């Protein structure tokens, strides 16, 4: 009986030690094939971990926002990417197009590398700054779990297998982009702007036209650009035009729908074809749902001009308030 008790206690201690090996102590990195022979790297880490590497918490309140990440982009590049040098045949790779995106409890950093021929090797020098319990998990797109490599302590450099040529469509990344598109366009500013767009369309036919123009503008996501100031300006201008433009035909309302699509798309900075296609599909789902609700509701509200004006002003105020927060 005593031996069984000791074994039970040892199992509890082992379980506790495993539980302490939390994702907060891990930096995940993955290299994927990009366009024109480039390589895309995705680095995932928690916000406290990023705070150990770069001063991203501008106001010191302990919470990191997307606006702070955008403002401190240079600090993130210096604190993270400069300490993740990638070489090919001992020649340095050239890095570009760095982005930082705040997710639910963690941050996703992406960058594009252009490398000469030769074996790839990456030195995760960030481990020299982080506490000793941290480790890097480098994933391989080719071999799944078998392709994982680990760096920890003084062993910071890893040989990296070159990813194979990219497939035209990656189902996993398509679904990830779809989820991100629904999430991005399910926030207050996007929902308010889309609903305002369809409420003022005069019906399903006009709403369908505006959805088409919105998706046409959203093709800006293929640029892979992320422009916070342009996003704020475009969303604010679109809301203002929708409030004061003629509600049925002509005017600036169709232009506003296209501008809204561009503004929503420029929040992204997504790394690849499948991610971007999924994101556009996510916007299509959200926009289509709001079209089916907003266009008929707009026709009903149009019979009562004063309540309709109040609803439009509330939606416009929500968009402009969110835009103001971005600019602040």
């Amino acid at each position: 009986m005593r031996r069984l008790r000791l074994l039970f206690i040892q199992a509890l201690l082992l379980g506790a030690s495993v539980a302490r090996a939390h994702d907060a102590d891990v930096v995940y990195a993955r290299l994927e094939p990009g366009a024109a022979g480039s390589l895309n790297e995705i680095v995932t880490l928690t916000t406290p971990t990023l705070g150990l590497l770069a001063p991203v918490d501008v106001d010191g309140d302990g919470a990191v926002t997307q606006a702070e990440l955008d403002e401190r982009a240079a600090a993130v590049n210096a604190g993270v990417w400069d300490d993740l040098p990638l070489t090919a045949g001992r020649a340095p790779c050239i890095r570009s197009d760095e982005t930082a995106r705040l997710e639910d409890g963690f941050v996703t950093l992406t960058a594009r590398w252009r490398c000469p021929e030769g074996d790839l090797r990456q030195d995760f020098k960030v481990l020299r700054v982080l506490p000793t319990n941290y480790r890097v998990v480098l994933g391989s797109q080719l071999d799944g779990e078998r392709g994982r490599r680990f760096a920890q302590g003084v062993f910071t450099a890893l040989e990296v297998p070159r990813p194979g040529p990219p497939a035209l469509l990656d189902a996993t990344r398509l679904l990830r982009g779809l989820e991100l598109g629904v999430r991005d366009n399910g926030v207050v500013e996007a929902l308010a702007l889309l609903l305002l767009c369809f409420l003022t369309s005069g019906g399903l036919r006009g709403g369908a036209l505006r959805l088409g123009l919105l998706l046409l503008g959203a093709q800006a996501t293929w640029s892979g650009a992320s422009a916070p100031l342009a996003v704020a300006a475009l969303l604010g201008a679109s809301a203002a035009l929708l409030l004061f433009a003629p509600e049925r035909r002509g005017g600036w309302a169709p232009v506003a729908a296209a501008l809204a699509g561009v503004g929503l798309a420029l929040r992204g900075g997504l790394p690849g074809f499948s991610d971007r296609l999924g994101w556009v599909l996510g916007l299509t789902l959200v926009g289509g749902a709001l079209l089916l609700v907003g266009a008929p509701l707009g026709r009903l509200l149009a019979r009562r001009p004063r309540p309709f004006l109040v609803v439009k002003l509330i939606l416009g105020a929500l968009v402009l308030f969110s835009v103001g927060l971005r600019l602040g």
Side-chain angles (χ1 to χ4, degrees):
M1 180 65 70
R2 184 179 179 183
R3 185 173 181 180
L4 288 175
R5 190 183 301 118
L6 288 174
L7 289 173
F8 178 71
I9 293 172
Q10 289 174 352
L12 287 178
L13 292 174
L14 178 61
S17 65
V18 170
R20 283 194 296 269
H22 192 264
D23 284 348
D25 301 337
V26 179
V27 176
Y28 295 95
R30 187 174 75 255
L31 274 173
E32 298 179 348
S38 64
L39 297 172
N40 296 323
E41 185 161 22
I42 301 97
V43 174
T44 305
L45 67 173
T46 64
T47 50
T49 300
L50 181 59
L52 295 174
L53 299 170
V56 290
D57 188 5
V58 177
D59 53 18
D61 63 355
V64 177
T65 65
Q66 184 62 51
E68 289 175 323
L69 288 177
D70 296 335
E71 182 180 343
R72 293 298 177 90
V76 173
N77 291 345
V80 180
W81 288 114
D82 287 355
D83 280 341
L84 298 179
L86 180 66
T87 58
R90 298 188 178 181
C93 299
I94 300 173
R95 191 186 75 236
S96 63
D97 299 336
E98 301 91 346
T99 66
R101 188 180 189 89
L102 185 65
E103 306 286 355
D104 186 13
F106 60 94
V107 177
T108 299
L109 308 177
T110 63
R112 180 175 299 162
W113 297 97
R114 293 198 174 276
C115 301
E117 293 298 323
D119 295 332
L120 296 175
R121 181 181 177 87
Q122 190 161 27
D123 193 352
F124 294 93
K125 296 180 181 179
V126 292
L127 290 172
R128 302 171 189 174
V129 179
L130 296 171
T132 56
N133 58 306
Y134 273 83
R135 64 174 178 163
V136 170
V137 178
L138 178 64
S140 168
Q141 188 186 20
L142 300 179
D143 300 324
E145 293 293 327
R146 293 176 300 166
R148 288 191 171 188
R149 288 165 168 76
F150 303 91
Q152 189 169 14
V154 297
F155 301 101
T156 61
L158 292 175
E159 301 293 333
V160 184
R162 276 191 180 269
L168 180 61
L169 195 63
D170 185 319
T172 300
R173 295 182 62 176
L174 179 70
L175 290 175
R176 185 174 65 189
L178 175 63
E179 179 185 354
L180 194 58
V182 171
R183 188 192 312 166
D184 278 356
N185 298 293
V187 297
V188 172
E189 64 187 49
L191 290 175
L193 184 58
L194 292 172
L195 190 55
L196 180 63
C197 184
F198 298 130
L199 278 176
T200 59
S201 65
L204 286 173
R205 186 173 180 179
L209 174 62
R210 291 194 185 179
L211 178 60
L213 291 169
L214 180 84
L215 294 176
L216 180 63
Q219 302 311 304
T221 192
W222 299 107
S223 69
S226 178
L229 292 179
V231 168
L234 288 166
L235 296 186
S238 177
L241 289 173
L242 288 168
L243 282 173
F244 301 110
E247 294 173 6
R248 291 186 179 274
R249 294 183 181 178
W252 290 96
V255 176
L259 290 179
V262 176
L264 294 173
L266 289 180
R267 296 174 302 166
L270 299 174
F273 175 84
S274 298
D275 300 90
R276 294 166 188 167
L277 177 60
W279 190 92
V280 172
L281 291 175
L283 173 60
T284 305
L285 287 177
V286 175
L290 289 178
L291 166 63
L292 295 176
V293 173
L297 182 60
R299 296 196 66 175
L300 290 175
L301 289 173
R303 300 171 185 173
R304 305 181 64 184
R306 184 169 295 179
F308 192 24
L309 178 61
V310 171
V311 171
K312 290 191 294 183
L313 289 175
I314 291 173
L315 292 174
L318 285 173
V319 177
L320 296 176
F321 177 73
S322 299
V323 166
L325 288 179
R326 279 182 174 272
L327 291 175

